[in-house]
Amino acid sequence: MTDALHSFPPTLDAATERLAAFAPRAGSEYARKRNFDLGPGAHSHVSTLSPYLRMKVLDEADVSRAVLSRMNAEDAEKFLMEVWWRTYWKGWMEQRPAVWASYLDDLGRLHNEVQTQSGMRQRWEAACLGDTGIAPFDAWARELATTGYLHNHARMWFASIWIFTLGLPWQLGADFFLRHLLDGDAAVNTLSWRWVAGIQTQGKTYLARPDNIAKFTDGRFVGVQGLATEAPPVQAPKPPERQPIPEIAAYAGAPGDRVGLLLHSDDLGAPFLGPLGIDPVSVGYIDTTDAQSPWDVAPFVPEFRTRLAQEASPGAVILSDAQAVADWASEHRLDHVVTPHAPVGSTRALLRKLRKGDAVPPLSEVRREIDTVAWPHAKAGFFKFKAHIPDLIDQFAR
Ligand SMILES: Cc1cc2nc3c(=O)[nH]c(=O)nc-3n(C[C@H](O)[C@H](O)[C@H](O)COP(=O)(O)OP(=O)(O)OC[C@H]3O[C@@H](n4cnc5c(N)ncnc54)[C@H](O)[C@@H]3O)c2cc1C
């Protein structure tokens, strides 16, 4: 097994045990120590739950509930805010899907530039291989490539050095993260990189400073030389106008229909479909991780997701592409396919493609109520969203 799958076992038990072990530490200890990055294998001040949240084998309500069974909301405030930041970014992107589309366009153009411009290619390769001569940056690049995880503070420093010291386009850095992070997420990753670059909160950038790195790596990297001393915002178009999140038509299969359940790499949440009374004749799983990038994805990322899917739904048929989904539907003579809602990202693109053809039967998405209620609150900045968190917790996590 790779280091990544050792550190993050692809099992439901690993997710729930990790949550139970971390919950008592989600209070003042987290608030005081969460910014310290102690290095590979030593991320004891944070929960390391993100790969499981990303796959929705746990959701924000599960995590909030576990923590609030151990302490009150004031003591857990810092941790709970972080947990719901994820929801905020998801909701923000759902209302501005053009931001993801334009990231993909930029990435296509940059892929071409990396092939054709040797200077850019050399700097990009050195950064991806951890061969820049900037010791902490190189260590983080290697940690990410071997473990599939980086501490939040390391992600911020890394992104800042990528953009402002190495002068590389933020989109290539976001792509490097998405190809290696077990928790790599179209919304959270893209918007976090935009935030460091000064595009998301317009004009506000994040500068990695040697003294801050020395302090919060607990002295592992002291006196880092050669970092940019200023971080001028990256120029970019204004974000598109907010669009309402589309309603989703209710599942309308007839009794006796042969229904297939299609899980995917944006939601393994078969249990939340239970109340619909669906008894699928077959369960399929499709992983769209590879479709996120023009470059190769680290094999441990789809492996983590696929193995978690097989654990969550034993016997799930692993489907490789749209044609395989069509073949699966035909083999099982499905009248209907039900699938968890796919947020902005590569799975949504695949579902669109499936709907366009006539090779699959009607396909219904089911969105989790927590997302339906929470996402529309991500209208503007986080602080307006934050005001809704206590109600969201009362509604879903008590
Ligand atoms: C440049 C950059 C890229 C990032 N890319 C991703 C990504 O692709 N996927 C991803 O899940 N997170 C991403 N993050 C956010 C954050 O770094 C990770 O969620 C966090 O480090 C996960 O580790 P943890 O579970 O130990 O976090 P903890 O500190 O234990 O936090 C608990 C949970 O809260 C959520 N959370 C914590 N910090 C953030 C944050 N800053 N923004 C949004 N949610 C947060 C996560 O779901 C996390 O699991 C990125 C941050 C930066 C700066």
Side-chain angles (χ1 to χ4, degrees):
M1 216 190 301
T2 60
D3 281 3
L5 270 64
H6 258 298
S7 309
F8 294 92
T11 66
L12 303 181
D13 282 352
T16 48
E17 282 162 17
R18 197 164 285 214
L19 175 57
F22 183 76
R25 293 188 279 122
S28 61
E29 191 186 336
Y30 179 82
R32 277 184 290 114
K33 298 184 181 167
R34 73 192 175 96
N35 280 327
F36 284 88
D37 170 13
L38 305 183
H43 296 300
S44 52
H45 298 322
V46 287
S47 71
T48 62
L49 283 169
S50 51
Y52 305 101
L53 277 157
R54 161 68 179 75
M55 294 300 287
K56 287 188 178 272
V57 295
L58 294 173
D59 69 12
E60 293 84 338
D62 298 322
V63 175
S64 303
R65 195 177 306 110
V67 166
L68 292 171
S69 71
R70 307 299 297 242
M71 66 190 70
N72 63 42
E74 289 81 65
D75 290 345
E77 189 188 352
K78 197 71 224 170
F79 181 71
L80 292 175
M81 288 306 119
E82 296 302 333
V83 169
W84 290 86
W85 254 105
R86 175 187 167 72
T87 327
Y88 166 72
W89 281 144
K90 298 295 290 180
W92 194 96
M93 186 66 108
E94 282 305 294
Q95 297 177 77
R96 292 136 184 116
V99 170
W100 172 248
S102 100
Y103 160 77
L104 290 178
D105 285 349
D106 292 347
L107 197 58
R109 174 180 50 77
L110 289 163
H111 179 246
N112 196 28
E113 283 178 25
V114 167
Q115 314 295 321
T116 54
Q117 297 179 15
S118 61
M120 159 96 95
R121 183 167 63 249
Q122 278 163 14
R123 284 184 298 127
W124 170 79
E125 274 173 358
C128 295
L129 293 172
D131 203 12
T132 64
I134 303 170
F137 183 93
D138 292 347
W140 294 318
R142 294 198 184 115
E143 179 180 355
L144 177 58
T146 47
T147 69
Y149 177 85
L150 274 188
H151 184 281
N152 181 59
H153 217 159
R155 297 183 200 205
M156 291 163 63
W157 292 317
F158 185 97
S160 176
I161 296 171
W162 181 286
I163 299 166
F164 301 114
T165 298
L166 301 176
L168 284 163
W170 69 268
Q171 297 91 331
L172 289 179
D175 169 75
F176 177 62
F177 268 24
L178 273 190
R179 288 187 290 119
H180 293 89
L181 281 170
L182 293 175
D183 65 29
D185 180 280
V188 185
N189 189 58
T190 311
L191 300 180
S192 300
W193 275 85
R194 281 167 54 95
W195 179 81
V196 173
I199 303 167
Q200 192 61 20
T201 305
Q202 286 197 344
K204 188 174 179 300
T205 52
Y206 178 76
L207 181 65
R209 294 176 197 276
D211 53 344
N212 183 266
I213 294 175
K215 176 178 172 188
F216 286 104
T217 56
D218 218 14
R220 286 185 301 128
F221 300 106
V222 177
V224 180
Q225 302 281 317
L227 299 190
T229 52
E230 30 184 59
V234 172
Q235 296 306 309
K238 280 192 157 182
E241 287 298 311
R242 186 169 62 86
Q243 300 173 5
I245 297 174
E247 301 268 324
I248 290 196
Y251 166 67
D257 272 1
R258 292 176 65 80
V259 179
L261 173 60
L262 182 64
L263 302 178
H264 54 69
S265 44
D266 279 289
D267 196 334
L268 293 184
F272 91 95
L273 296 167
L276 289 176
I278 296 166
D279 186 12
V281 293
S282 178
V283 179
Y285 170 75
I286 181 128
D287 196 291
T288 63
T289 309
D290 284 343
Q292 293 177 150
S293 174
W295 284 283
D296 288 345
V297 169
F300 55 69
V301 182
E303 189 183 348
F304 172 81
R305 294 176 180 176
T306 304
R307 287 176 59 169
L308 204 49
Q310 286 171 314
E311 242 248 339
S313 283
V317 182
I318 306 302
L319 304 164
S320 53
D321 54 19
Q323 184 56 51
V325 178
D327 294 346
W328 165 74
S330 148
E331 187 191 333
H332 293 279
R333 292 178 287 112
L334 301 179
D335 300 309
H336 223 105
V337 175
V338 175
T339 188
H341 174 63
V344 169
S346 49
T347 306
R348 179 176 290 185
L350 176 111
L351 295 184
R352 251 190 211 141
K353 188 170 170 193
L354 285 174
R355 282 204 179 91
K356 271 194 192 147
D358 53 7
V360 286
L363 195 145
S364 299
E365 286 186 51
V366 182
R367 189 159 56 212
R368 293 170 183 246
E369 202 193 343
I370 186 171
D371 295 337
T372 299
V373 173
W375 286 348
H377 294 308
K379 288 190 171 65
F382 179 72
F383 287 93
K384 286 197 172 143
F385 178 84
K386 188 178 164 186
H388 298 278
I389 295 176
D391 287 345
L392 291 167
I393 288 177
D394 279 345
Q395 188 174 346
F396 294 102
R398 296 284 187 187

